[in-house]
Amino acid sequence: MGYLNPLLKLPAAKKLMSLPPEQRRAVSAVFRELREEANMEAEQAWRRRKGPMAAYWRAVSTYARHLAHALEQSGRN
């Protein structure tokens, strides 16, 4: 991602970023799994014509991906 995610300025996100590398990898894997599950929920909601729920799940998916990516990138610095 070519931008700074404002989510990472929150105190809880900073705590995540300060975890040791092995813990960041484990948490990142959980966020990646959450992303996939949220995407499936979004697709299911969309098929059922539940637009607000589809948008909710898509947002969950997006934030999970952003956090996973940030956790993976912080280990490369």
Side-chain angles (χ1 to χ4, degrees):
M1 293 196 242
Y3 63 91
L4 293 176
N5 185 341
L7 183 66
L8 300 178
K9 293 180 182 177
L10 298 175
K14 289 180 181 181
K15 288 179 187 176
L16 279 174
M17 303 304 284
S18 70
L19 292 172
E22 64 277 357
Q23 290 179 354
R24 282 197 316 267
R25 281 191 295 274
V27 173
S28 176
V30 171
F31 279 131
R32 294 272 180 200
E33 190 175 336
L34 176 64
R35 176 186 183 221
E36 292 204 16
E37 292 171 2
N39 271 330
M40 288 188 292
E41 290 290 332
E43 290 300 319
Q44 187 175 41
W46 188 251
R47 283 192 302 274
R48 291 181 177 165
R49 306 213 191 301
K50 305 289 184 183
M53 284 308 298
Y56 169 80
W57 285 116
R58 194 65 72 193
V60 169
S61 171
T62 299
Y63 283 118
R65 177 183 175 272
H66 286 187
L67 285 166
H69 184 76
L71 286 165
E72 292 162 2
Q73 294 302 309
S74 68
R76 295 181 187 155
N77 295 335

